[in-house]
Amino acid sequence: DAKTTQPPSMDCAEGRAANLPCNHSTISGNEYVYWYRQIHSQGPQYIIHGLKNNETNEMASLIITEDRKSSTLILPHATLRDTAVYYCIVRGPPLYNTDKLIFGTGTRLQVFP
Amino acid sequence: NAGVTQTPKFQVLKTGQSMTLQCAQDMNHEYMSWYRQDPGMGLRLIHYSVGAGITDQGEVPNGYNVSRSTTEDFPLRLLSAAPSQTSVYFCASSFRGAGSPLHFGNGTRLTVT
């Protein structure tokens, strides 16, 4: 089972900030939070990841709560091209020979004009 | 640097036929994995490998075989195709470690009639 839960869908007006939540209440101290997105049926695209601190890159910002049980991906000025399915997953250090990365069903973000 | 290359892009099989989906990466990644995505659904992990000679099952391994004889290649074999295996298949790779993003291929769209 996925270690994360996300709302199935969200809407956002073009030009506004899109805030996508993710719950990961069972996250371990050494597990990172990752965000990917998938546009149409293309291969998923990496967006950003973080451990404890908030992170920002040219695509988005990641806000992780202090208890690390949830996070929010922020697209500061959403465009129509940001319409996609967004996946939040957690990844920890490999233990022995296990490294099973489970994706959930993601959040379908619809940006409207 | 080609990244993750999947071949073929499209394939149509008849029930009972066998085939191999190819996946190759040129980034010297230890970790490789296969996902399937059914229409309107999320990604489900089929098999993964943490290095040459090491493979393990994911969420939906039945009907699929894998092997990892080299670091670069991770083929997925369908021994006897069934209509339920109609899906889009994605290969992904990364370095091992919690802070390593996955790189995805562009997918293989498989139809079994």
Side-chain angles (χ1 to χ4, degrees):
Chain A
D1 292 332
K3 295 184 178 181
T4 62
T5 56
Q6 301 175 252
S9 63
M10 294 183 65
D11 291 338
C12 179
E14 190 176 20
R16 304 296 295 269
N19 298 287
L20 291 88
C22 178
N23 285 323
H24 31 80
S25 58
T26 62
I27 193 170
S28 300
N30 53 11
E31 287 184 312
Y32 283 72
V33 179
Y34 280 81
W35 284 84
Y36 295 83
R37 74 178 182 184
Q38 186 177 29
I39 298 173
H40 298 301
S41 295
Q42 298 175 17
Q45 173 191 23
Y46 163 76
I47 302 173
I48 197 167
H49 71 284
L51 182 62
K52 297 180 182 178
N53 299 322
N54 299 337
E55 301 288 344
T56 295
N57 62 21
E58 65 278 5
M59 291 181 66
S61 294
L62 173 60
I63 307 298
I64 303 174
T65 58
E66 192 169 346
D67 63 6
R68 301 187 71 243
K69 293 185 177 181
S70 65
S71 61
T72 301
L73 178 74
I74 300 173
L75 308 178
H77 305 287
T79 71
L80 298 178
R81 288 176 294 179
D82 292 321
T83 292
V85 177
Y86 289 77
Y87 296 97
C88 165
I89 72 168
V90 296
R91 184 176 197 181
L95 300 175
Y96 302 103
N97 289 328
T98 64
D99 202 355
K100 188 179 291 189
L101 300 180
I102 304 298
F103 283 70
T105 53
T107 296
R108 184 172 298 277
L109 175 68
Q110 180 69 52
V111 180
F112 57 91
Chain B
N1 190 336
V4 178
T5 302
Q6 292 185 236
T7 56
K9 288 186 170 58
F10 301 93
Q11 183 71 49
V12 179
L13 290 178
K14 294 186 186 304
T15 297
Q17 287 185 317
S18 64
M19 81 157 295
T20 299
L21 280 63
Q22 301 292 344
C23 176
Q25 53 89 12
D26 60 359
M27 296 171 282
N28 205 30
H29 287 163
E30 305 98 333
Y31 181 86
M32 296 186 75
S33 56
W34 278 101
Y35 293 87
R36 62 174 287 175
Q37 186 172 39
D38 300 333
M41 304 291 286
L43 299 162
R44 291 188 291 170
L45 181 65
I46 305 172
H47 285 286
Y48 67 99
S49 168
V50 298
I54 305 170
T55 64
D56 204 349
Q57 297 181 350
E59 304 170 272
V60 289
N62 293 340
Y64 306 94
N65 279 355
V66 292
S67 61
R68 183 94 180 271
S69 57
T70 67
T71 299
E72 295 78 19
D73 300 298
F74 190 43
L76 179 71
R77 280 182 283 276
L78 284 71
L79 300 179
S80 179
S84 61
Q85 293 178 305
T86 293
S87 191
V88 181
Y89 292 84
F90 291 101
C91 179
S93 73
S94 76
F95 291 112
R96 294 198 76 190
S100 302
L102 284 172
H103 298 251
F104 282 85
N106 289 328
T108 293
R109 188 176 299 274
L110 176 68
T111 302
V112 183
T113 61

